[in-house]
Amino acid sequence: MTLEAQKETRGFQTEAKQLLHLMIHSLYSNKEIFIRELVSNASDAADKLRFAALSQSNLYESDPELKIRIDFDATAKTLTIADNGIGMNRDEAVEHLGTIAKSGTAQFLKDMSGDEQKDSQLIGQFGVGFYSSFIVADHVEVFSRRAGDSASEGVHWECTGEAEFSVESVEKADRGTKIVLHLKDDALEYADAFRLRSLIKKYSDHISLPVEMLKEAAPAVPGAEGEEETTAETAAPEYEAVNAATAMWTRPRADVSDEEYKEFYKHVSHDFADPLKWSHNRVEGKLDYTSLLYLPAKAPYDMYNREASRGLKLYVQRTFIMDDAEQFLPLYLRFIKGVVDSNDLSLNVSREILQKDPNIDAMRSALTKRVLDMLGKLAKNADAYAPFWKEFGQVIKEGPAEDFGNKEKIAKLLRFSTTFNNSEVQSESLTGYVERMKEGQDKIYYVAAENYNTAKNSPHLEVFRKKGLEVLLLTERVDEWLMGHLQDFDGKQLQDVGKGALDFGELDSDEEKKEQETAAKSNEDLVARVKKVLADKVQDVRVTTRLTDSPACVVVGDDDMGAQMRRILEQAGQAMPDSKPIFELNPAHPLVVKLDQESDEDRFGDLAAVLLDQANLAEGGHLEDPAGYVQRLNKLLLELSH
Ligand code: ADP
């Protein structure tokens, strides 16, 4: 025996150990899914072999018929799942079965709450894979040999605890992977032909590979000759396929049941939960392809992780080519799962080729449209759409910037909080807003703030309340950026209420316009005085048309960046060009009246500065000199009590 072949014991990677532990302790209420996971892995292994054999046909050895076999032994308490797919060599077994290579795993494990119910859902979103073996088995053995390697290069991987596994080199004549599960006492129900057959039907009917089990023995015929029994004993056992074994997406829609669609989704997505919706289409003509696109119910744990895998499973003429083909959908639809099977692409297509092929662009446009249509349909039912929006709304908001061509379609999918119903739940559409617009209103108004309450209570909304105009309440980081790219909807400009001079056009009566002019005129002195004392803090001071109840507010210039966007970028450490706000005063407010009457220049300066700081605070802004604000305010309060 060479040193290489010797048995070696290794520890699991920390993350793998944690995942294993979770698997054992959180999923016992949904044990049977291990079948789906292991059959899914075996099917992937067959896909990989088929793909590798395109350029190396000898990999089939003398065994070209790919299949999965499931056996059990109730006495020995074992369940065996064997495939003749690509297999693993010793190093691969150590790497693939002892570590988890997914990006964001550590973060995912950190998010585990310890609440089994919640955790088991999260694990579902993460995908459990091979470790699901440990839900039903406390001792797992894997025998594998990589296609093309010699029989002596097999590997035997074994794990009996939660901390360690062992590997040794063994002879394995047939290529592929065999997993032997030594069932726990509470999982012996799986060592049963009837149970297994129904699980395979349930979870693996859509797998294009036959999943075989021993042919069921025909019932004994009374009075049959003894000789026949002897022949039956020596003959090789006969297997039969238990599942339908055709690539599901090739079947006509009418022939596929909802259950089958759902199970296939779980296979391609490694998700536990049912999908929300799907769209299955065959396209013929200049391009010839089939697509099956799924809308998941829950966002994956790593949706905002840049390195997270995304994209569709690509097949060419039913041969698996690659996972995570990103080229078929834009980034803002990265949560879509599914399959695309092309009849035009070459079997040796690579990621590089996909990036350059103009046909892929055409497919990408068509698939994007399919998804947007599917979402448009879902959006017609507010109750069905609400959970989707909650999970994926933020990602959809990236759309208008990335996909300008579909801007209008995406805009219809957006949902916001608004002053119409004053609900924190983002449930109102731009279409609805436009329908509610007042006679003479030509803009869609929005306010952006750090959170819902700040937005709702922003002083900027005062005049809109007075006039009965609806304002969108934007509270997510992506919102202002979205508005910047959207710019208009249905021919109506989107207007930040905290930006520039408000022009209500026809909405202001002649009388109101006159009043505003008079107010501006009669307060010219006050404005000039304030401008002087706050010269280094503001770019301009003027009489407001925005406020009814508050004494003052700050506004950004027409061409300046929105205040909330600025705060976000500053927090992210970006250097911002110096830009001072415009300070607006409400001369009808008693504090401003008092300010106007103040003859002591020091006190005037203090009060003006306090009003400016308060205006900033009311918008959720941060003060440059909070201690100075407190001192000035306290000074004024003390004077008040004299
Ligand atoms: P995932 O399938 O999500 O990658 P798993 O834990 O299920 O995670 O499997 C880890 C890796 O182990 C797989 O990516 C694959 O490389 C390898 N593997 C698992 N099962 C098989 C199998 N039956 N044949 C060949 N390789 C396998």
Side-chain angles (χ1 to χ4, degrees), residues 434-638:
V434 169
E435 279 165 10
R436 291 187 293 268
M437 274 169 68
K438 283 189 90 166
E439 182 91 20
Q441 181 183 352
D442 59 355
K443 292 192 177 109
I444 298 172
Y445 295 102
Y446 67 88
V447 61
E450 200 168 19
N451 55 51
Y452 177 72
N453 278 329
T454 311
K456 192 180 70 169
N457 298 323
S458 165
H460 291 283
L461 299 187
E462 290 173 9
V463 68
F464 291 88
R465 280 212 186 91
K466 186 174 138 206
K467 290 186 182 296
L469 296 175
E470 181 174 350
V471 180
L472 304 176
L473 304 170
L474 309 185
T475 54
E476 282 174 345
R477 297 176 79 95
V478 58
D479 284 334
E480 261 186 295
W481 188 69
L482 160 71
M483 290 297 163
H485 286 93
L486 212 52
Q487 292 186 345
D488 50 53
F489 174 76
D490 198 12
K492 304 213 169 39
Q493 192 196 329
L494 292 154
Q495 168 74 44
D496 181 345
V497 300
K499 234 183 197 186
L502 278 186
D503 176 10
F504 286 110
E506 290 175 34
L507 289 171
D508 272 345
S509 64
D510 289 346
E511 206 176 311
E512 281 171 308
K513 279 180 198 154
K514 213 170 233 133
E515 270 172 30
Q516 286 165 14
E517 272 167 39
T518 326
K521 267 240 158 65
S522 59
N523 287 288
E524 272 171 356
D525 288 349
L526 170 66
V527 164
R529 264 176 99 194
V530 174
K531 212 186 279 194
K532 208 166 128 208
V533 295
L534 297 178
D536 54 342
K537 291 188 180 141
V538 300
Q539 56 166 285
D540 199 10
V541 181
R542 64 190 179 208
V543 169
T544 191
T545 53
R546 291 178 157 85
L547 304 175
T548 58
D549 303 331
S550 300
C553 69
V554 284
V555 176
V556 299
D558 261 326
D559 300 321
D560 289 343
M561 182 182 288
Q564 176 60 11
M565 178 84 123
R566 192 179 172 85
R567 278 190 285 274
I568 290 171
L569 293 176
E570 274 168 358
Q571 276 165 19
Q574 285 217 22
M576 287 287 126
D578 209 29
S579 137
K580 294 176 188 144
I582 298 161
F583 188 39
E584 290 194 354
L585 292 168
N586 174 10
H589 194 279
L591 270 177
V592 180
V593 173
K594 210 167 158 55
L595 179 72
D596 194 25
Q597 291 163 352
E598 184 56 65
S599 52
D600 181 324
E601 276 311 306
D602 276 351
R603 218 184 286 160
F604 180 87
D606 281 347
L607 186 53
V610 164
L611 289 177
L612 174 63
D613 281 350
Q614 284 183 341
N616 273 317
L617 283 175
E619 275 208 56
H622 299 282
L623 302 184
E624 250 173 59
D625 177 15
Y629 165 74
V630 172
Q631 274 165 16
R632 276 191 289 271
L633 186 63
N634 286 348
K635 207 161 107 194
L636 291 167
L637 286 172
L638 277 174

Side-chain angles (χ1 to χ4, degrees), residues 176-428:
T177 303
K178 181 166 89 174
I179 297 178
V180 183
L181 305 175
H182 297 267
L183 296 170
K184 294 181 193 172
D185 284 338
D186 64 1
L188 293 177
E189 64 196 280
Y190 300 107
D192 175 82
F194 182 77
R195 186 74 204 274
L196 286 170
R197 279 170 180 265
S198 70
L199 287 177
I200 293 165
K201 273 294 221 198
K202 175 170 172 193
Y203 289 121
S204 309
D205 215 29
H206 53 75
I207 298 250
S208 54
L209 212 56
V211 180
E212 297 181 345
M213 284 186 63
L214 267 183
K215 213 169 180 163
E216 297 201 300
V221 183
E225 290 301 311
E227 279 167 337
E228 274 185 17
E229 274 171 30
T230 341
T231 18
E233 258 169 42
T234 47
E238 260 189 82
Y239 284 84
E240 64 186 354
V242 180
N243 62 337
T246 47
M248 200 199 77
W249 62 89
T250 61
R251 289 159 55 194
R253 261 195 303 234
D255 290 1
V256 186
S257 71
D258 283 2
E259 272 322 303
E260 287 174 297
Y261 275 121
K262 288 177 189 170
E263 279 314 321
F264 187 68
Y265 165 74
K266 290 172 189 172
H267 169 58
V268 292
S269 69
H270 298 279
D271 189 355
F272 267 39
D274 286 342
L276 213 54
K277 219 173 159 58
W278 55 86
S279 169
H280 182 192
N281 296 282
R282 174 85 202 265
V283 175
E284 281 167 285
K286 194 167 158 283
L287 291 171
D288 189 345
Y289 64 91
T290 301
S291 63
L292 173 50
L293 306 172
Y294 285 101
L295 201 60
K298 285 259 170 231
Y301 71 101
D302 56 359
M303 192 158 66
Y304 291 101
N305 186 329
R306 277 163 193 276
E307 283 109 71
S309 55
R310 62 182 183 94
L312 304 175
K313 246 181 181 341
L314 174 65
Y315 288 76
V316 170
Q317 293 165 36
R318 268 148 310 289
T319 300
F320 168 79
I321 304 295
M322 65 178 81
D323 276 314
D324 311 326
E326 304 173 348
Q327 294 76 4
F328 293 95
L329 285 171
L331 202 56
Y332 71 97
L333 298 178
R334 58 184 175 274
F335 52 85
I336 297 291
K337 305 278 186 203
V339 166
V340 54
D341 186 349
S342 159
N343 279 337
D344 308 306
L345 290 170
S346 136
L347 281 164
N348 54 24
V349 65
S350 66
R351 280 182 202 275
E352 291 68 40
I353 295 174
L354 286 181
Q355 265 157 22
K356 289 186 206 125
D357 187 339
N359 284 337
I360 303 299
D361 290 340
M363 285 172 75
R364 179 189 170 105
S365 301
L367 293 171
T368 302
K369 196 171 161 301
R370 284 237 185 272
V371 175
L372 293 178
D373 287 348
M374 174 158 65
L375 293 176
K377 265 188 212 143
L378 187 70
K380 289 209 171 103
N381 176 343
D383 288 342
Y385 194 63
F388 164 79
W389 183 256
K390 187 159 171 277
E391 288 292 311
F392 300 105
Q394 282 202 53
V395 187
I396 295 290
K397 285 177 178 176
E398 297 172 11
E402 188 188 359
D403 186 2
F404 197 75
N406 282 311
K407 193 179 89 153
E408 201 73 7
K409 253 199 174 130
I410 302 167
K412 287 192 180 135
L413 298 173
L414 302 173
R415 294 295 178 271
F416 299 101
S417 291
T418 102
T419 54
F420 164 64
N421 59 356
N422 280 315
S423 159
E424 198 166 349
V425 180
Q426 299 172 14
S427 59
E428 300 307 313

Side-chain angles (χ1 to χ4, degrees), residues 41-42 45 48 83 86-88 96-97 102 128-130 177 270:
N41 277 352
K48 284 180 197 158
D83 66 66
I86 191 81
M88 286 175 275
H96 295 323
L97 308 182
K102 275 188 209 170
V128 292
F130 170 72
T177 303
H270 298 279

Side-chain angles (χ1 to χ4, degrees), residues 12 19-20 23 34 37-38 41 88 93 96-99 127-135 140-142 157-159 165 177-181 270:
F12 282 105
L19 192 61
L20 204 81
M23 214 57 74
F34 78 94
E37 300 294 318
L38 296 182
N41 277 352
M88 286 175 275
H96 295 323
L97 308 182
T99 59
V128 292
F130 170 72
Y131 291 126
S132 64
S133 314
F134 291 90
I135 308 171
V140 176
E141 291 183 88
V142 179
W157 182 102
E158 185 169 24
C159 171
F165 61 88
T177 303
K178 181 166 89 174
I179 297 178
V180 183
L181 305 175
H270 298 279

